[in-house]
Amino acid sequence: MTDVGDLPALEAELSRVVRGDVGFGVTSRALVTMDASNYRRVPLGVVAPRDADDVSAVLEVCRERGVPVVARGGGTSIAGQATGTGVVLDFTRHMNRLVSLDPDARTAVVQPGLVLDRLQEAAAPHGLRFGPDPSTHSRCTLGGMIGNNSCGSHSVAWGTTADSVRELDVITARGRRLRLGQDWAGAPDGLRELVDGELARLRTGFPELPRRISGYALDALLPERGADVARSFCGSEGTLGVLTEAVVGLVEAPRARALAVLAYADESAAAQAAAGLLPFGPLTVEGMSADLVPSAAALPRGAAWLFVETGGESAAQARARAEAIVRAADVVDALVVTDPAGQRALWRIREDASGTATRMPDGSEAWPGWEDCAVPPARLGAYLRDFRGLLTEHGLRGTPYGHFGDGCIHVRIDFDLLTKAGVARFRRFSEELAELVVAHGGSLSGEHGDGQARAELLPRMYGQEMVGLFERAKGVWDPDDLLNPGMLVRPAPLDADLRFSVLPREPVEVAFGYPSDGGDFSAAVRRCVGVAKCRTTSVSGSSVMCPSFRATGEEEHSTRGRARLLHEMLAGEVVTDGWRSTEVRDALDLCLSCKGCRSDCPVGVDMATYKAEFLHHHYAGRRRPAAHYAMGRLPEWLRAVSRTRTARLVNALAGVRPFAWAAKRLGGIAPEREIPRVARRTFSRWWERRRGEATVGSGALVILWPDTFTEHLSPSVGQAAVRVLEAAGLRVGLPPTLRLVRPPVGDGRTVAMDPLSVLRGRGRVCCGLTYVSTGQLDRARAVMRRTLDLMEPVLETDAPVVVLEPSCAAALRTDVPELLHDDPRAARLAAKVLTFAETLERHAPDWTPPRVDRPVAGQTHCHQHAVLGDAADRRLRRAALLSGELSGGCCGLAGNFGFEKGHYEVSTACAEEHLLPSVRDAPDGAVVLADGFSCRTQLEQLAGVRGSHLAEVLAAALEGAGDEAGGGGTEPEGGR
């Protein structure tokens, strides 16, 4: 085994013989210390091979040096088998192609790093699909699926991955290239002799059930089963050989589908009923209970549900089959959904369960480890009752869900894996559950493989003799035990290498409150369990996460990758510089702080907050990047321009190339960017001049928040909002301001205010967004506390606070209370914050908006999607006859991000993903909606298109300027 001192030589040798990427640096290693399991193993290095020759070269070097090799796909394995202490082969970077697809033969040739959804997309135009489809289909790879013999929700119809494998190209640890198939094709020397000597044991030693994944599938080598070497290789978890290419079978996809949602009184009733539905030939029989379902989910009344999908040549046929199942089922309630969008929304609940199950209803943590046991489907109800009893006996909680039609149960359990006593209970429970599964005729693994989580317990399922046979088979394929040692045979203990053991035991001192994690930053980082939804390469609907990963394709730019680096920073073994780590800083640098992960991540990882926290500590007492001073303190600069009334001069200088170049260079601004023009008259000055007019509206009082962007850069948005709100009968006011010319003195509250900020800003309110996004959290707190002081009179009223800029509204709702978690006024202010559409809906419910009657194009603001929600906006648009939907994703500008030097390429790539195409493809006469200043700026600078806030569109329609609604009906950007 190579020791740490030999690492430079190993890296140099691999770099010499491999055409792909060789990474032995801190970031490369930290990113793959974990998969989606409870386990953590630190590798020596990572290689991303370009082809089979690279794989051979790596194996040869590692064999000579005694270095283990682990093959890794999407890293979503739940049992620890995608981690290793030697060299990790990452197939997702280069060996990720669909080599060919033959519709007539219904086969495809794939490389191991190909993501399943890419194969499905290529097969769909031919009416075909790959049968197995795990919930991680948008990021799991075919190689990983073959290694784990993955299944998915459609296995009752199309079986496991092994059922779809035809031939496999494999390289053994000793460098032999084999083409595995039936009739002993590709079998390594000695395998046939081993099987021939153990026929009786192989015929009687394996339980018969649809989801038996545990152990090696040696029974596939029986003569009556075609001596299928390729099938027997499936589920071997990278311990027998390294897959380099596969021929897989495809199945005919039904032309139409219907989804029957069957409601039951409890999960046991649902489980008991599942097997009885199989004779109807469903495509899926999936089970879930109420603990995993969002309260707003449109499901029939009940406490547990079966999702039963049917197919047909037509929608009518699929529906008829679904309705026949409903009639035959003894249910509390039922629903049949034929609308594809409705089906997708329901399936999204099921697919996100692997993440949502990691948090119990009370917010406490739950973990994998016993994620996918399987029993004969007819015994599932009885097994679940016994399983629940065992949980109660050990004082544990978990919410089962999964493939009820195949008798396979997923569950996350609230194990205490942080203390010695908790780990001991984890072991005792695991041993007893293994006995329970075997007593019901089941398999320890029904989908995800044994890995380190269950391999130690295989003797309880198979007996010592069969496990000994597994060891002999491993010896035939890999006599040097080079490939993924410690998995399946001669396993590592199930309670060793737990990823939590390296984290600090005492809470880390942090600025944010992390209310959902008990104030513990380590617990916040632990939220990422590795299911890697953030690695999805395309977004659907209004989804956002994770734009930087989709732009670069690099793991370190995914939410999971950044969470892994933060985990290793806290551990201090791989990342040794703590908050000063340049590796963590560089990975977070391309985080757009879009907050998409806060809503789209199944476990609510909030990387925008973690980034702000890290930057706060990283730059404490140190000089910051120029952009932090230029754009992080933007409110101060803009207030200075307003106070000195130099907007005209600033705009003129920004239009002179030498001055603009110098300003951008000094401010850390990307040279490709244009500097936005400052309004010559702020929104507040417009308001003050207008106050002499008669008060309009006799309805409820609403306080319109003059955010920095509306105040100084887009006053037309504020003016439009005032006109619409007053047209709806509401009385509009602005927050109080404090006008002082010298530092205040007097009572304690006044002394506590920041005199300099009062002098600079004349007491204007500010949410602190720009300070938070650049990690200037001390300054952010001062700004927020000053704001709370100013807002106290408003907090004593019933008046809502209307915020037009989505980023500022999100900051007030989340950042302010989480950063000022010790000030109850912060939560009171957050509770008052409403969006423009929410205000009209709640406080002017009888008002009818003007008829715009035009299509819309554009993108839902990322913070609106992640924090605020856009349901009220959708309803307001419909009421105004604005037709069509806005796209998802992120505009790419994201506040200061797109303006910072070095970010332009990623910023434009994000815009080109959804925003710019949606505008280019918009129908004639479409209104380009963009409620955020960043989105409007990105549209203007990259597409030459002016986007409008919804308030501007409605104001223009009110004034009878419907033909000009797309350009706003008030002052142009920059004001007068």
Side-chain angles (χ1 to χ4, degrees):
M1 174 68 186
T2 296
D3 61 34
V4 176
D6 296 331
L7 285 185
L10 174 62
E11 180 182 11
E13 181 65 11
L14 287 171
S15 298
R16 185 181 66 82
V17 300
V18 169
R19 295 190 304 113
D21 307 315
V22 177
F24 276 59
V26 168
T27 299
S28 297
R29 297 166 64 218
L31 291 173
V32 297
T33 55
M34 294 171 277
D35 49 16
S37 72
N38 296 327
Y39 301 99
R40 171 184 176 272
R41 296 193 293 174
V42 179
L44 300 177
V46 182
V47 175
R50 287 194 176 274
D51 50 29
D53 289 341
D54 270 1
V55 174
S56 284
V58 171
L59 289 171
E60 182 178 355
V61 171
C62 290
R63 183 173 64 252
E64 291 173 352
R65 295 173 176 269
V67 174
V69 176
V70 176
R72 181 180 172 106
T76 57
S77 295
I78 294 180
Q81 60 267 57
T83 66
T85 57
V87 169
V88 173
L89 293 175
D90 175 9
F91 287 100
T92 62
R93 185 170 300 179
H94 301 303
M95 295 183 68
N96 56 13
R97 292 190 303 113
L98 170 61
V99 179
S100 64
L101 191 150
D102 186 338
D104 295 328
R106 294 186 179 178
T107 60
V109 180
V110 302
Q111 291 185 322
L114 178 69
V115 170
L116 174 59
D117 270 4
R118 303 292 81 74
L119 174 59
Q120 304 289 36
E121 290 165 1
H126 306 286
L128 302 173
R129 57 162 291 147
F130 189 71
D133 56 346
S135 60
T136 55
H137 55 82
S138 63
R139 59 271 191 196
C140 70
T141 65
L142 271 295
M145 293 179 67
I146 291 168
N148 292 342
N149 195 10
S150 300
C151 308
S153 60
H154 289 88
S155 59
V156 294
W158 298 314
T160 71
T161 298
D163 295 311
S164 296
V165 164
R166 302 293 177 263
E167 293 180 310
L168 302 176
D169 284 353
V170 168
I171 304 177
T172 69
R174 290 193 172 179
R176 288 197 61 192
R177 300 196 183 196
L178 307 175
R179 179 94 168 174
L180 312 185
Q182 292 189 332
D183 296 324
W184 294 108
D189 296 340
L191 184 61
R192 184 168 188 172
E193 291 77 8
L194 177 68
V195 169
D196 287 344
E198 297 285 353
L199 292 176
R201 191 181 307 281
L202 294 177
R203 287 180 173 128
T204 60
F206 292 88
E208 288 295 331
L209 69 162
R211 287 294 194 96
R212 188 255 302 160
I213 304 298
S214 281
Y216 289 133
L218 297 181
D219 56 329
L221 298 172
L222 289 167
E224 60 268 29
R225 298 190 178 179
D228 194 336
V229 183
R231 186 183 183 94
S232 74
F233 187 87
C234 294
S236 59
E237 304 180 17
T239 62
L240 303 182
V242 179
L243 176 72
T244 58
E245 196 169 274
V247 180
V248 298
L250 305 174
V251 298
E252 186 174 354
R255 294 179 181 272
R257 302 185 192 208
L259 180 62
V261 183
L262 311 180
Y264 294 87
D266 55 49
E267 69 187 14
S268 292
Q272 198 72 42
L277 303 179
L278 297 179
F280 291 88
L283 300 176
T284 68
V285 183
E286 297 288 292
M288 291 186 69
S289 66
D291 289 350
L292 292 176
V293 176
S295 58
L299 295 177
R301 59 186 178 87
W305 298 268
L306 292 179
F307 285 21
V308 185
E309 188 178 69
T310 58
E313 286 297 306
S314 66
Q317 187 181 62
R319 171 179 274 280
R321 289 174 176 172
E323 290 174 342
I325 288 174
V326 171
R327 289 192 298 271
D330 182 13
V331 297
V332 173
D333 196 4
L335 173 70
V336 174
V337 182
T338 56
D339 169 49
Q343 293 182 52
R344 284 194 298 271
L346 290 169
W347 277 121
R348 197 171 300 122
I349 298 171
R350 163 63 185 87
E351 291 175 357
D352 283 351
S354 60
T356 55
T358 63
R359 282 295 186 276
M360 305 299 293
D362 63 1
S364 57
E365 297 169 314
W367 303 108
W370 286 94
E371 178 70 16
D372 63 321
C373 299
V375 299
R379 302 193 63 164
L380 183 60
Y383 166 73
L384 272 179
R385 286 190 291 272
D386 290 346
F387 172 75
R388 283 290 194 183
L390 188 62
L391 283 175
T392 301
E393 183 181 329
H394 284 268
L396 297 170
R397 296 174 300 163
T399 303
Y401 67 98
H403 314 294
F404 281 23
D406 271 339
C408 180
I409 294 299
H410 296 320
V411 64
R412 300 291 174 103
I413 301 172
D414 65 338
F415 297 119
D416 168 17
L417 300 178
L418 299 173
T419 68
K420 186 175 181 180
V423 173
R425 180 167 60 167
F426 167 62
R427 169 171 282 280
R428 290 194 303 272
F429 176 84
S430 299
E431 293 170 343
E432 293 181 30
L433 181 55
E435 297 288 356
L436 178 62
V437 171
V438 172
H440 281 275
S443 173
L444 303 185
S445 171
E447 180 164 21
H448 297 304
D450 299 305
Q452 188 169 345
R454 290 175 285 269
E456 181 188 349
L457 301 173
L458 284 177
R460 298 171 188 255
M461 176 180 170
Y462 285 113
Q464 290 291 351
E465 291 80 7
M466 181 65 79
V467 170
L469 184 57
F470 291 162
E471 292 181 6
R472 290 162 59 196
K474 163 76 167 173
V476 169
W477 284 90
D478 178 21
D480 306 309
D481 199 19
L482 195 73
L483 301 177
N484 215 0
M487 301 295 144
L488 280 176
V489 300
R490 296 180 290 278
L494 62 87
D495 52 359
D497 306 316
L498 294 173
R499 65 188 179 105
F500 318 98
S501 62
V502 296
L503 293 177
R505 287 293 173 262
E506 297 298 324
V508 178
E509 185 175 344
V510 287
F512 283 96
Y514 302 101
S516 299
D517 299 292
D520 185 352
F521 184 69
S522 295
V525 171
R526 285 200 304 269
R527 278 183 174 271
C528 180
V529 293
V531 296
K533 188 178 179 183
C534 52
R535 281 179 54 92
T536 301
T537 55
S538 61
V539 297
S540 59
S542 61
S543 297
V544 174
M545 180 182 72
C546 176
S548 53
F549 171 76
R550 292 194 302 276
T552 69
E554 298 289 344
E555 172 79 10
E556 69 182 284
H557 299 142
S558 69
T559 305
R560 181 180 73 172
R562 293 172 177 130
R564 290 292 177 260
L565 282 161
L566 288 168
H567 188 286
E568 295 303 328
M569 180 194 81
L570 293 173
E573 179 183 351
V574 180
V575 178
T576 57
D577 298 334
W579 294 111
R580 299 298 199 199
S581 167
T582 56
E583 293 84 7
V584 178
R585 180 202 64 198
D586 292 347
L588 288 170
D589 181 57
L590 291 186
C591 171
L592 286 84
S593 297
C594 67
K595 289 187 178 287
C597 48
R598 186 177 178 116
S599 61
D600 294 348
C601 172
V603 290
V605 169
D606 185 0
M607 194 53 62
T609 297
Y610 305 170
K611 176 182 179 179
E613 184 76 63
F614 175 84
L615 294 176
H616 169 68
H617 294 279
H618 185 77
Y619 288 111
R622 306 165 77 187
R623 183 177 179 180
R624 288 174 166 269
H628 288 199
Y629 300 105
M631 289 174 283
R633 300 182 184 179
L634 184 64
E636 299 172 25
W637 298 115
L638 291 175
R639 283 196 298 267
V641 171
S642 172
R643 189 173 64 250
T644 57
R645 297 181 182 258
T646 56
R648 188 186 299 273
L649 175 62
V650 169
N651 291 339
L653 292 176
V656 178
R657 183 171 297 180
F659 286 106
W661 176 86
K664 286 186 280 188
R665 183 176 177 84
L666 288 172
I669 298 173
E672 301 91 341
R673 288 291 179 187
E674 296 177 23
I675 298 176
R677 299 302 186 257
V678 182
R680 281 171 278 167
R681 183 174 64 172
T682 66
F683 170 63
S684 294
R685 286 204 179 109
W686 172 86
W687 171 262
E688 289 167 0
R689 177 178 295 182
R690 185 178 179 275
R691 278 197 303 179
E693 301 177 10
T695 301
V696 179
S698 58
L701 173 67
V702 298
I703 304 301
L704 186 59
W705 185 270
D707 64 83
T708 294
F709 306 98
T710 300
E711 172 76 358
H712 298 285
L713 299 170
S714 298
S716 61
V717 173
Q719 296 162 23
V722 169
R723 288 166 182 157
V724 175
L725 292 170
E726 290 181 343
L730 299 173
R731 291 183 297 124
V732 181
L734 263 62
T737 59
L738 188 63
R739 299 172 177 277
L740 295 176
V741 295
R742 61 179 182 273
V745 295
D747 62 24
R749 177 180 299 164
T750 308
V751 171
M753 297 168 66
D754 176 1
L756 289 179
S757 67
V758 172
L759 283 171
R760 292 191 194 107
R762 298 174 64 197
R764 291 291 182 194
V765 295
C766 178
C767 66
L769 169 69
T770 60
Y771 305 100
V772 171
S773 63
T774 52
Q776 301 179 72
L777 300 187
D778 290 335
R779 188 172 290 260
R781 274 192 290 245
V783 167
M784 292 172 179
R785 289 196 193 280
R786 182 196 70 203
T787 292
L788 291 176
D789 289 334
L790 291 169
M791 289 294 290
E792 281 209 15
V794 175
L795 297 180
E796 301 302 321
T797 73
D798 294 330
V801 177
V802 188
V803 186
L804 302 174
E805 174 63 40
S807 292
C808 295
L812 288 167
R813 278 204 188 163
T814 59
D815 294 331
V816 171
E818 291 174 12
L819 195 54
L820 297 184
H821 47 89
D822 57 343
D823 191 332
R825 297 177 302 169
R828 288 162 57 197
L829 175 58
K832 282 182 168 290
V833 171
L834 295 179
T835 66
F836 174 71
E838 287 172 339
T839 303
L840 290 169
E841 184 172 80
R842 298 185 193 181
H843 295 277
D846 298 327
W847 179 69
T848 300
R851 295 167 56 98
V852 182
D853 199 13
R854 290 169 64 177
V856 297
Q859 187 175 61
T860 301
H861 193 285
C862 53
H863 287 184
Q864 178 106 33
H865 166 78
V867 176
L868 308 170
D870 67 342
D873 293 74
R874 290 170 181 269
R875 289 189 287 269
L876 180 57
R877 293 200 302 266
R878 283 198 297 268
L881 299 185
L882 287 164
S883 59
E885 295 294 333
L886 303 183
S887 71
C890 176
C891 76
L893 196 62
N896 59 289
F897 176 86
F899 273 96
E900 289 188 20
K901 184 178 180 181
H903 293 172
Y904 184 77
E905 185 177 346
V906 169
S907 176
T908 55
C910 292
E912 286 289 356
E913 185 183 22
H914 288 287
L915 177 60
L916 298 185
S918 75
V919 172
R920 294 189 193 109
D921 299 339
D924 292 341
V927 175
V928 178
L929 285 177
D931 280 3
F933 176 77
S934 292
C935 304
R936 296 194 296 273
T937 302
Q938 188 80 308
L939 282 167
E940 182 179 349
Q941 295 199 359
L942 297 186
V945 173
R946 176 155 190 263
S948 297
H949 194 287
L950 182 56
E952 294 180 287
V953 176
L954 296 181
L958 283 172
E959 295 166 9
D963 291 342
E964 299 175 3
T970 58
E971 290 187 14
E973 298 281 358
R976 285 192 295 270

